[in-house]
Amino acid sequence: MSDDEADPELLALLRQHLLGKPTLNTEPETRVLEDAEYVCDNSIDVALDMRSCKNAAATIYAKMQEKEYSPSTWSQHELHPKAKDESTVAFIFTMDLLNFSFWSEKPDAERFAISYRDKRWTGYWSLVAALQRALDEGIPITDSHFWQDEEECTLDVLRQVFKSTTDEEIPLLEERLVCLREAGTVLYQKYECSPVNLIKAAKGSAARLVNLLADDFACFRDEHKFETRRKPIRILKRAQILVADVWAAFEGKGYGEFRDIDKITMFADYRVPQILNTMGCIAYSPPLDFTIRDKKEIRSGSSREIQMRACSIWCVELIRREIKKAHPEAEVNAILIDFFLYDTIKEIEAAGKESVPHHRTRSIWY
C-alpha cells in the first residue's frame, strides 16, 4: 500500500462510527511483503530476473521433494532442541534474540568458532552450539530472570558462553548483552517473564506474534527508512524467523500452531541474497556488484542494503508462487524455501564452490 492509499482498517473503523454497522474482524498483517514489493518496484541497484526465478522454482521444488523438506527437518539437526515443551520455546527465543552477525574478515581457521560435542561450529551454528554448551555447564542462558540480573549476567559471563576456539571474539558481544537485558525487561513487564505467554498473546496468529515482537521489543524492530517514503520499510528478519522456528520445532502443533503461518516471508539476511544472486534470480548494478565482490562493508539501513534484503523477500515470494502454480497441491511456503536455500548455500560454501561472496553488513538485524 502506497502512502496516498487509504488504510483499510481505518476505513472500516470510520464506517463503523459513521454508519453504526459492525465491522468484520480483520486478521493482522506484518506488512513485510507489501513493503518488499514497494522497494522492488522502486529499486535502482537490484533487479529480478523473471526467467531465472521461474527456472529456480522448478529446481528448488524438485530438490526439496528429493530431500523431503518439511517442518520436521528443523528438529533433525543435532544441535536443535528436540523437546516439545516450554524449554524449547525459551531456547528458540534466546537463539533468535541473538541470531545476528557471525561473518568474519579472517580466514576460516582463524574466525570465531565454538567447540562442542567434538566438533567445530561456525556461523549460525556457533550460536546454537554456544547456547547448548552453556546449558550443559549450568549457565541459565535461556532464562529471562538471568538476563535481568546485572550481577550474574555480565559481559564476562557472556564471553564465557561464547568462548571461541580462536582468538577472535564473537562480533557485537556488547550489543548481545543489551538485547538480553531489554528482552528480559519487556518479558518481565508484559509477559510474566515467559516467552510462552508472548506466544499465547498472539492467539494463534503468526502475523500477530511478529507484530508483538516488533512493537514491544526494540531489538526485533527491523524496519528502516527508504528513499522518500514516509513509512519505514518493515523487514523484521529475526522476528519472523523466531515465529518460523517455533512453527518448525513444534511441527505446526502446540506452541507452533499458527493459522496464518504462510504470511511469514523469507528471512532477509546475507546468505539467501547470495544464493539468489548465484542462481541469477537477482542482479546487482555494477557499483553494488563491485562492492560485494570486493568484500567492502555496506552500511546497515543504506538504500542499497534495503534493496538487497527487500528484493530477496519479493524474489522468494515469486518463486513460491511459481511452485504453487505448477504444483497446486504442494505444501510449500517461504519459510521452507528459505531453509532450503540457506542450507544449500552453506553446502556450497563447505565445498569451497562459492562463485560470489555474500555482502558485508554489520548489524543486530541479521
Side-chain angles (χ1 to χ4, degrees), residues 42-250:
N42 292 275
S43 179
I44 58 174
D45 285 293
V46 183
L48 271 57
D49 184 290
M50 301 310 297
R51 177 172 292 183
S52 294
C53 286
K54 190 169 185 175
N55 292 337
T59 300
I60 290 168
Y61 179 72
K63 291 291 185 182
M64 288 177 70
Q65 291 294 104
E66 180 183 320
K67 295 186 177 183
E68 298 182 342
Y69 254 73
S70 71
S72 64
T73 304
W74 191 95
S75 297
Q76 291 170 10
H77 193 280
E78 62 180 287
L79 289 183
H80 278 158
K82 306 296 184 289
K84 309 297 184 185
D85 57 23
E86 293 188 12
S87 68
T88 292
V89 174
F91 189 96
I92 291 171
F93 187 89
T94 309
M95 179 179 76
D96 287 322
L97 187 61
L98 304 175
N99 185 3
F100 55 83
S101 201
F102 304 105
W103 60 271
S104 173
E105 299 284 5
K106 295 181 179 293
D108 187 64
E110 300 175 21
R111 66 178 295 189
F112 168 76
I114 293 292
S115 177
Y116 181 63
R117 293 181 182 172
D118 299 320
K119 290 185 180 180
R120 180 178 181 273
W121 306 93
T122 60
Y124 161 76
W125 294 113
S126 69
L127 166 66
V128 188
L131 296 181
Q132 293 285 18
R133 185 178 66 182
L135 293 174
D136 289 352
E137 294 174 352
I139 301 173
I141 190 62
T142 61
D143 187 342
S144 67
H145 296 89
F146 174 69
W147 307 339
Q148 296 176 76
D149 192 329
E150 296 186 10
E151 293 184 1
E152 292 293 327
C153 185
T154 65
L155 204 56
D156 285 340
V157 170
L158 275 197
R159 285 196 177 93
Q160 178 62 32
V161 170
F162 293 107
K163 183 176 174 56
S164 177
T165 59
T166 70
D167 291 333
E168 184 177 40
E169 186 174 83
I170 188 171
L172 304 181
L173 183 66
E174 293 184 9
E175 286 81 353
R176 295 175 200 275
L177 180 58
V178 170
C179 288
L180 290 172
R181 288 268 196 272
E182 185 221 333
T185 300
V186 175
L187 286 175
Y188 170 75
Q189 293 175 342
K190 296 192 173 186
Y191 300 103
E192 299 180 352
C193 299
S194 172
V196 164
N197 288 338
L198 171 63
I199 291 175
K200 289 178 179 178
K203 301 177 181 178
S205 169
R208 182 177 284 113
L209 183 50
V210 169
N211 291 339
L212 286 173
L213 286 164
D215 293 343
D216 292 347
F217 301 82
C219 59
F220 279 111
R221 202 170 301 138
D222 179 13
E223 51 186 36
H224 311 273
K225 290 291 294 180
F226 178 71
E227 306 303 344
T228 59
R229 194 180 192 194
R230 291 198 304 272
K231 290 190 298 186
I233 297 297
R234 305 190 93 198
I235 296 181
L236 306 181
K237 187 266 185 180
R238 288 192 295 107
Q240 290 203 103
I241 201 170
L242 190 157
V243 177
D245 284 344
V246 172
W247 172 73
F250 290 88

Side-chain angles (χ1 to χ4, degrees), residues 16 170 237 300 320 339 349 366:
Q16 181 181 23
I170 188 171
K237 187 266 185 180
S300 176
R320 184 197 67 80
F339 286 171
E349 178 191 35
Y366 60 100

Side-chain angles (χ1 to χ4, degrees), residues 39-47 226-227 284-285 303-304 307:
V39 172
C40 197
D41 288 344
N42 292 275
S43 179
I44 58 174
D45 285 293
V46 183
F226 178 71
E227 306 303 344
Y284 302 134
S285 66
S303 177
R304 285 176 175 174
Q307 289 177 58

Side-chain angles (χ1 to χ4, degrees), residues 5-28:
E5 291 177 337
D7 187 318
E9 292 187 20
L10 180 58
L11 281 176
L13 288 172
L14 286 171
R15 289 193 189 99
Q16 181 181 23
H17 177 72
L18 296 173
L19 303 177
K21 294 181 179 179
T23 59
L24 296 175
N25 290 327
T26 55
E27 282 290 295

Side-chain angles (χ1 to χ4, degrees), residues 250-261:
F250 290 88
E251 299 181 37
K253 301 174 184 176
Y255 296 125
E257 184 176 355
F258 300 105
R259 62 182 175 275
D260 56 352
I261 191 63

Side-chain angles (χ1 to χ4, degrees), residues 271 274 278 295 345-358 360:
R271 284 301 192 178
Q274 178 189 16
T278 300
K295 299 182 179 181
I345 192 61
K346 294 299 288 184
E347 290 171 4
I348 292 172
E349 178 191 35
K353 295 181 179 179
E354 289 176 293
S355 59
V356 61
H358 63 75
R360 263 67 174 171

